[in-house]
């Protein structure tokens, strides 16, 4: 499978716990993006990487959120001290260059904070 | 921040009918993209548009890039049950690759 892969697909956690999601982009893609999607809304940009460098972070990304992309390959998104408002679908996408031909999305990780 | 407005918000149509939905923005975009999302899945790219006035087809789907670069529309001809899902427009922001999404149009098709 050469698509974008995300793990886990679903995560239920108790409020206050830390969670980490993983994204494996399409192998030749140098850009990797994280988006968050709540029910009834379109995806909202969180952050993106070009290779291993994190180049932009949205103001939606509070200091409880951290993302890494070591060696410019897979990426992780960690949420510390989760809150109920963090419940959402977290989507990863990748593109070659700045994605003028479109970014390709993974299946997402559905986070539920109880 | 930037926002895209999609209309209609939802549509319920009969199989075989044609569908039209559109997307408007307060900002200019140089690239417009249309995605489809099924429940519990990530968005799948349908069509990408690069030039003002451009009309592009992908099977039964046709999309146009508005000449003002602030709008786009998507048509689906002869709808079938598997067209059910949420359709999103997205504008490509600058050279970052960041996508600005609309809030989606939910399509339901009655067999």
């Amino acid at each position: 499978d050469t698509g974008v892969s995300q793990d886990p697909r679903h995560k239920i956690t108790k409020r206050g716990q830390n969670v980490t999601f993983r994204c494996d982009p399409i192998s030749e893609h140098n850009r990797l993006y994280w988006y968050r999607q709540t029910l009834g809304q379109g995806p909202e940009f969180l952050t993106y990487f070009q290779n291993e460098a994190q180049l932009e972070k949205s103001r939606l990304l509070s200091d409880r959120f951290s993302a890494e992309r070591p060696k410019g390959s897979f990426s992780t998104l960690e949420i510390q001290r989760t809150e109920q408002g963090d419940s959402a679908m977290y989507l990863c996408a990748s593109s070659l260059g700045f994605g003028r031909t479109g970014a390709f999305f993974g299946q997402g990780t559905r986070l539920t904070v109880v | 921040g930037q926002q895209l407005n999609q209309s209609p918000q939802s549509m319920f149509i009969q199989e075989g009918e044609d569908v039209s939905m559109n997307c408007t923005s307060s900002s200019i975009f140089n690239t417009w993209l249309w995605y489809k999302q099924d429940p519990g899945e990530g968005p799948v790219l349908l069509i990408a548009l690069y030039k003002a006035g451009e009309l592009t087809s992908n099977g039964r789907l046709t999309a146009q890039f508005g000449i003002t670069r602030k709008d786009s529309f998507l048509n689906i001809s002869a709808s079938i049950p598997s067209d059910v899902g949420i359709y999103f427009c997205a504008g490509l922001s600058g050279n970052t690759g960041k996508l600005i999404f609309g809030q989606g149009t939910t399509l339901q098709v009655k067999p």
Side-chain angles (χ1 to χ4, degrees):
Chain A
D1 184 10
T2 58
V4 178
S5 176
Q6 292 189 246
D7 182 68
R9 292 288 312 274
H10 304 274
K11 179 71 176 179
I12 299 174
T13 191
K14 290 183 178 179
R15 190 174 50 188
Q17 296 294 306
N18 299 344
V19 293
T20 300
F21 310 140
R22 177 180 170 122
C23 171
D24 287 274
I26 293 171
S27 58
E28 63 266 28
H29 285 182
N30 59 341
R31 291 203 179 188
L32 185 150
Y33 308 84
W34 286 98
Y35 289 81
R36 181 172 69 186
Q37 185 178 26
T38 53
L39 204 59
Q41 300 296 318
E44 293 178 291
F45 171 81
L46 291 178
T47 188
Y48 91 96
F49 294 83
Q50 179 165 301
N51 301 313
E52 66 274 10
Q54 187 174 18
L55 296 186
E56 185 174 341
K57 292 194 284 186
S58 161
R59 56 183 169 76
L60 292 175
L61 212 67
S62 77
D63 54 10
R64 296 183 299 104
F65 287 70
S66 63
E68 294 183 341
R69 192 184 182 196
K71 303 178 183 177
S73 56
F74 70 92
S75 176
T76 57
L77 178 68
E78 181 184 17
I79 309 175
Q80 296 182 326
R81 304 180 304 281
T82 52
E83 302 173 355
Q84 286 189 317
D86 297 332
S87 295
M89 173 81 93
Y90 290 84
L91 293 161
C92 175
S94 70
S95 69
L96 189 60
F98 67 90
R100 195 158 183 262
T101 53
F104 295 87
F105 283 81
Q107 295 172 302
T109 294
R110 167 74 65 190
L111 173 66
T112 303
V113 182
V114 297
Chain B
Q2 291 175 305
Q3 251 189 329
L4 299 186
N5 294 308
Q6 279 187 251
S7 64
Q9 192 171 357
S10 62
M11 305 179 76
F12 190 91
I13 62 169
Q14 197 79 28
E15 182 177 0
E17 289 183 351
D18 297 345
V19 171
S20 185
M21 58 191 79
N22 68 12
C23 189
T24 59
S25 169
S26 56
S27 305
I28 287 173
F29 289 104
N30 291 320
T31 300
W32 284 88
L33 304 162
W34 284 91
Y35 285 85
K36 178 178 182 249
Q37 187 175 30
D38 292 328
E41 301 291 329
V44 174
L45 181 65
L46 299 174
I47 290 180
L49 300 158
Y50 305 110
K51 289 172 59 175
E54 177 182 357
L55 190 71
T56 296
S57 293
N58 178 7
R60 294 179 296 106
L61 277 59
T62 301
Q64 184 158 28
F65 191 147
I67 57 172
T68 66
R69 293 193 284 160
K70 290 185 177 182
D71 63 324
S72 176
F73 72 76
L74 176 70
N75 285 346
I76 305 173
S77 62
S79 58
I80 59 178
S82 62
D83 291 333
V84 165
I86 305 176
Y87 291 79
F88 289 100
C89 62
L92 185 63
S93 176
N95 291 328
T96 65
K98 179 171 66 177
L99 294 173
I100 309 298
F101 281 87
Q103 67 271 52
T105 294
T106 300
L107 177 64
Q108 296 188 61
V109 179
K110 185 177 178 182

